[in-house]
Amino acid sequence: MDRDPEDGRQQRREGPTIRDVARMANVSIGTVSKALNNNGSLKAETRERIVAAANALGFRPNSLAQSLHRRHSFTVGLISNDSFGRFTMPIAEGLEACLADRQIAVFMCNATDDPERERQHVEQLLGKRVDGVVVTARRADRRPGLDGALRGLPVIYVFSQSDDPDAVCLLPDDEGGARTAVEHLIGLGRKRIAHITGPERFEAVRLRRDGYRQALAAAGLAEGEGYYLSGEWSEKWGYDAAAQLFAPGRQPPDALFCGNDQIARGAADALRERGIAVPEDVAIVGFDNWNVMTEASRPPLTSVDLNLRALGREAGRRLIAMIDGAPMRGVSRLPCTLVIRQSCGARTDTQTGTEDHA
């Protein structure tokens, strides 16, 4: 009997099956399943022969069937409210790098601060039977939790906080990062250190302010009158604040610790226009280590790195543990790192372009 050519096309589309692998390796289908799923008790030689047969045939296991068998989908959701991705993308890179070892894929969703859109993403992720969810944002302030809507799934908030005290939250240590920055400036001999920062309604602003003041107090230094300036997250505010600090008739600071890199770059522009040399006359340190700003500043900007990729990797480790049944709760803050460039006057390797880390 002639074979229907349509049957041949269908077979080619489906590709090799687990039966084909079993036939080539001369074992049962059950033995192939054990070998490819890395479970059961098999001789190393048998397992290697089965893997070689699967590779030779180009066999790919049916991930849907595997997920139903194991009651896991090997997928997690990432819901972000960071439209530009400046904070979310490094977190996602760290998360994916960690989960890849467990062959877990990440579905990314951008809610753009729209509660209805976020609700739709939650429903879609539940429909995909994800094993857990990571929630992130462009700021680390508290927000309404998603835990109830996700019906018992493991949830971790990264660079974001839930208003549920039992939620698992991973944040950068803003206060510790600020202390590190100001201690570094003090170690360079700077004594009149001003702080230009963003709006105090942000928790990060308050924590960085506290870290700045703790470092001054520990070194026995006073905060100069008018040396703390809270405004907007913008270059213009950095420029205007620096103009205030260096107005005629007042004692100017010899260092600026800025609440983010945009503020720091604006301040550097204001000093350059006034003929004030950076770092010779005034040292500057920013926060966030956003390369778009730090590398465009003149001179290149020393800044506190939030270590967002490390936050993403740690989120992946904790999410895996939660999926496996480990109980977790509460807020954890991971250390920040100071990336030293020319704006503070510390030594850098100008020949190789490498940066010092403190």
Side-chain angles (χ1 to χ4, degrees):
M1 179 183 294
D2 293 335
R3 174 178 293 177
D4 186 339
E6 183 64 30
D7 291 342
R9 287 194 294 272
Q10 181 67 25
Q11 184 177 9
R12 283 194 296 274
R13 281 198 297 269
E14 290 178 354
T17 67
I18 193 170
R19 287 185 174 83
D20 298 326
V21 177
R23 191 178 301 114
M24 175 177 274
N26 196 28
V27 295
S28 70
I29 292 173
T31 302
V32 173
S33 178
K34 290 178 181 179
L36 298 183
N37 288 307
N38 199 28
N39 55 31
S41 178
L42 295 176
K43 292 181 179 179
E45 178 185 350
T46 303
R47 193 183 302 274
E48 290 170 3
R49 187 169 76 251
I50 292 168
V51 171
N55 291 337
L57 290 169
F59 172 72
R60 301 182 68 181
N62 185 324
S63 58
L64 177 59
Q66 285 184 321
S67 68
L68 291 173
H69 176 69
R70 301 183 188 179
R71 297 187 179 183
H72 287 297
S73 67
F74 297 95
T75 60
V76 301
L78 174 63
I79 299 178
S80 170
N81 282 297
D82 177 15
S83 301
F84 299 103
R86 178 159 75 93
F87 299 103
T88 295
M89 292 313 297
I91 290 171
E93 290 170 8
L95 178 69
E96 289 183 320
C98 176
L99 297 181
D101 292 339
R102 290 280 293 262
Q103 298 182 324
I104 298 174
V106 179
F107 291 122
M108 294 187 64
C109 309
N110 190 357
T112 62
D113 279 328
D114 181 344
E116 177 58 25
R117 189 169 181 179
E118 185 174 81
R119 186 193 65 77
Q120 292 173 359
H121 286 317
V122 168
E123 291 301 318
Q124 290 168 350
L125 292 172
L126 288 172
K128 294 180 183 297
R129 295 181 168 275
V130 294
D131 296 326
V133 171
V134 173
V135 181
T136 186
R138 64 176 178 271
R139 55 183 177 271
D141 296 278
R142 286 180 175 81
R143 47 148 295 157
L146 285 179
D147 308 54
L150 287 164
R151 304 170 196 170
L153 278 178
V155 182
I156 294 184
Y157 296 84
V158 184
F159 202 68
S160 178
Q161 294 184 74
S162 169
D163 56 8
D164 178 0
D166 291 328
V168 180
C169 307
L170 286 176
L171 302 168
D173 183 2
D174 290 286
E175 188 176 290
R179 279 199 308 272
T180 297
V182 177
E183 287 168 355
H184 182 74
L185 290 169
I186 293 169
L188 295 173
R190 308 291 173 156
K191 299 183 183 301
R192 302 186 309 277
I193 304 170
H195 183 32
I196 308 173
T197 190
E200 285 199 342
R201 67 178 181 272
F202 292 99
E203 182 187 60
V205 168
R206 301 190 297 272
L207 290 171
R208 294 170 192 179
R209 175 203 63 200
D210 292 347
Y212 156 74
R213 288 175 171 166
Q214 290 166 12
L216 290 181
L221 297 177
E223 179 184 322
E225 183 179 353
Y227 272 20
Y228 171 73
L229 294 169
S230 172
E232 300 300 321
W233 296 120
S234 69
E235 289 182 61
K236 182 180 185 307
W237 166 238
Y239 181 97
D240 292 344
Q244 291 181 43
L245 288 167
F246 290 87
R250 61 176 297 170
Q251 185 178 44
D254 59 8
L256 300 178
F257 167 52
C258 298
N260 76 354
D261 295 331
Q262 291 161 283
I263 292 172
R265 184 179 177 187
D269 289 346
L271 297 185
R272 186 166 58 252
E273 286 187 9
R274 287 160 175 74
I276 300 170
V278 176
E280 291 80 4
D281 298 327
V282 179
I284 301 179
V285 175
F287 214 107
D288 293 344
N289 197 35
W290 186 18
N291 287 347
V292 171
M293 287 291 156
T294 58
E295 294 174 4
S297 294
R298 294 291 175 267
L301 184 64
T302 293
S303 184
V304 178
D305 195 313
L306 298 169
N307 291 333
L308 296 176
R309 288 180 182 81
L311 277 176
R313 286 192 295 272
E314 181 61 21
R317 287 190 285 269
R318 296 195 185 197
L319 192 61
I320 288 170
M322 291 171 72
I323 291 169
D324 289 341
M328 292 191 186
R329 64 185 299 272
V331 176
S332 299
R333 296 186 181 272
L334 275 61
C336 298
T337 304
L338 186 65
V339 181
I340 301 171
R341 301 184 182 90
Q342 289 92 328
S343 70
C344 65
R347 182 191 64 80
T348 58
D349 190 336
T350 55
Q351 291 184 331
T352 64
T354 55
E355 303 161 345
D356 292 337
H357 294 254

